[in-house]
Amino acid sequence: MARISAKARRAMIVGLIVNPIAGLGGPAGLKGSDGSEIQQRAIARGSVALAGRRAAIAVRALTKHRPDTIVRTVAGAMGADAAPHAEVISLAAQQPTTSADTRAAVKALRGVDLLMFAGGDGTARDVLDGGPISPVLGIPAGVKVYSGCFAISAAAAGLAASRFTGDAEEAEVVDLDEDAYRAGSVGPRLYGTVRVPSVRVRLSGRKASTPPGTVEGIARECVTRLREGVRYVLGPGTTTQAVGKALGLETSLLGVDVVLDGKLIGRDVAEAELYELVQGGPAEAVLSIIGGQGFVLGRGNQQLSPRVLSGLRGMTVLGTQQKLAGLGGRPLLADTGDPEADRRVCGHVRVITGYRESTLYRLISASEDA
């Protein structure tokens, strides 16, 4: 490890941990990345993990706003690859890395002022199990990002870290059984809490569920707006699944489906298959809002990659009045991991809120809402 001068000791030390396989299962439509079998299936379907890239964005934002920061991390894909100028602590990790490696990295980085980690809810759980002493901050890079300890984007994580003064508050870490999740059961439970920076940069907050019985009117209205000859990409969620039911189709709850002229032409598709389908004719997306967070893109629907989005000619958003009211005027968010893709979809989008009810609502890149 590099020798630290007396002057440098007065600078803030930020630890960095990257879960290299976080998010791998998203584009493949696998609803998560836990387990070697799932990871192998994701790779076979052409998925590439982007956690390292997102961590690098966060580090650049951090050092841009606070250049005297010392970044301390572990070797290789678990940190050093994303932070080439960081102090590196040697840590023997398995290939591919496991939960035990994340926990070991937390212990190795004790003594930092703030611990940043790139991953999703599973990584947050492993960080908590590692017994962090300092406050932590999540860089969103996983398929599931329901916990309240994440910044809303990689750039926002770096900015939040740069503004950290030592004050911290509690945030929730939620746990989700991926096998049950893949079977259609969405039941996040509180796993524990961690301390996060108290800064004037918004964290994502915990996901809020949709009240039962509020989506049928939205689905009816959405169906009346569907046009012949257009391929509609239905994102995951109970609201979009209600659209499928209104059409008499058995669409997936947590996957991405494609409907053409009242017929299901793609069910629970991976990114590669979705890309081919949207190239076959005019295509539009129908997506729902993650309650409490406001995300429309980049959370649980990574199949809608930048190249898929470039093939769409429009997007309709579905959300109850309660969900919009719960945002308190904050905009809807896109976080595809590609700033240019985010910019292309940003603007005012049509949100269907009920039968014969809709409104225009602002959608921005999550990197802008810091």
Side-chain angles (χ1 to χ4, degrees), residues 231-244:
R231 297 167 181 235
Y232 289 96
V233 178
L234 304 183
T238 55
T239 311
T240 46
Q241 189 183 46
V243 175

Side-chain angles (χ1 to χ4, degrees), residues 6-284:
K7 180 179 180 180
R9 287 193 187 96
R10 294 194 297 272
M12 181 173 68
I13 302 175
V14 174
L16 175 68
I17 300 172
V18 178
N19 178 356
I21 56 89
L24 194 62
L30 297 175
K31 291 86 177 171
S33 307
D34 291 353
S36 59
E37 180 184 353
I38 292 297
Q39 294 158 22
Q40 291 169 7
R41 287 172 58 190
I43 293 170
R45 295 184 184 185
S47 288
V48 177
L50 301 177
R53 183 183 302 179
R54 292 197 170 219
I57 292 171
V59 170
R60 286 196 296 270
L62 165 61
T63 54
K64 174 184 176 182
H65 292 283
R66 198 162 173 174
D68 63 336
T69 301
I70 298 170
V71 178
R72 185 175 296 167
T73 188
V74 293
M78 287 195 68
D81 291 352
H85 301 294
E87 294 180 356
V88 179
I89 295 175
S90 178
L91 180 70
Q94 300 183 58
Q95 296 299 328
T97 59
T98 66
S99 298
D101 295 314
T102 300
R103 295 192 296 268
V106 172
K107 292 179 172 61
L109 292 171
R110 283 180 176 172
V112 299
D113 298 303
L114 174 67
L115 179 62
M116 299 176 70
F117 67 92
D121 288 329
T123 311
R125 181 189 62 215
D126 294 337
V127 168
L128 176 58
D129 288 344
I133 296 174
S134 59
V136 306
L137 179 61
I139 303 166
V143 179
K144 310 178 302 298
V145 187
Y146 294 160
S147 300
C149 57
F150 289 93
I152 61 171
S153 70
L159 180 59
S162 73
R163 295 179 178 177
F164 179 56
T165 60
D167 293 332
E169 58 192 52
E170 295 292 316
E172 296 177 333
V173 173
V174 299
D175 185 32
L176 195 66
D177 184 318
E178 283 197 4
D179 290 334
Y181 186 65
R182 293 184 184 98
S185 175
V186 186
R189 65 180 179 85
L190 178 63
Y191 188 76
T193 61
V194 291
R195 292 183 301 136
V196 298
S198 298
V199 294
R200 295 180 62 84
V201 175
R202 187 159 70 88
L203 303 188
S204 63
R206 184 176 175 181
K207 177 185 182 295
S209 60
T210 301
T214 61
V215 299
E216 288 80 5
I218 292 175
R220 287 174 57 204
E221 178 63 21
C222 182
V223 168
T224 66
R225 297 177 182 231
L226 302 185
R227 301 185 301 278
E228 291 185 4
V230 178
R231 297 167 181 235
Y232 289 96
V233 178
L234 304 183
T238 55
T239 311
T240 46
Q241 189 183 46
V243 175
K245 289 181 179 178
L247 291 168
L249 303 174
E250 189 177 345
T251 56
S252 59
L253 172 61
L254 300 171
V256 172
D257 309 304
V258 184
V259 173
L260 172 64
D261 295 335
K263 297 180 180 179
L264 190 63
I265 63 171
R267 187 179 191 278
D268 200 3
V269 296
E271 188 272 348
E273 185 181 356
L274 180 59
Y275 176 73
E276 294 298 327
L277 285 170
V278 301
Q279 298 303 303
E284 299 184 14

Side-chain angles (χ1 to χ4, degrees), residues 281-323:
E284 299 184 14
V286 178
L287 306 174
S288 60
I289 302 167
I290 294 184
Q293 296 184 345
F295 281 98
V296 173
L297 282 165
R299 298 293 184 272
N301 56 13
Q302 288 92 345
Q303 299 93 319
L304 281 88
S305 65
R307 69 169 183 164
V308 168
L309 291 171
S310 68
L312 301 179
R313 70 178 193 181
M315 179 170 62
T316 297
V317 178
L318 312 180
T320 62
Q321 290 282 7
Q322 295 97 318
K323 279 190 177 181

